[in-house]
Amino acid sequence: MIIYCFDLKTKDLESYNRIKRRFYYDLAKLSKHNFLWNTKSVICIDEAQEALFDLFFLKYRENLALFKARASSMEQVY
């Protein structure tokens, strides 16, 4: 299981809105791959999809602060 934590960053509000729309539009195209869960800044995927998501995030590397973690297990508390 791979966990990505990210934050979009830009110089100004106008470019932030443009990058954000494009980012989430492209991310929605990946939803057919059924990542386990996502919020506005966290995505959890199966390890088999790691290369696909690495390429996706690479496209936005200039506008992201990105962290990637590997987890052996995760449980929902609430």
Side-chain angles (χ1 to χ4, degrees), residues 32-78:
K32 64 182 178 181
H33 295 283
N34 297 326
F35 39 90
L36 298 176
W37 49 266
N38 67 348
T39 66
K40 287 191 171 253
S41 61
V42 178
I43 294 175
C44 183
I45 62 164
D46 188 13
E47 290 182 14
Q49 300 166 346
E50 178 180 9
L52 176 69
F53 278 84
D54 283 349
L55 286 174
F56 169 75
F57 284 117
L58 186 63
K59 180 178 176 181
Y60 294 97
R61 70 177 174 256
E62 295 177 8
N63 301 106
L64 279 179
L66 178 67
F67 297 90
K68 178 178 171 181
R70 297 180 189 278
S72 58
S73 67
M74 183 183 315
E75 64 182 65
Q76 183 174 353
V77 178
Y78 297 108

Side-chain angles (χ1 to χ4, degrees), residues 7-21:
D7 190 23
L8 292 171
K9 57 181 183 175
T10 60
K11 294 178 271 187
D12 57 23
L13 185 60
E14 183 179 319
S15 62
Y16 174 79
N17 287 333
R18 181 175 31 83
I19 296 292
K20 180 179 157 185
R21 275 192 308 272

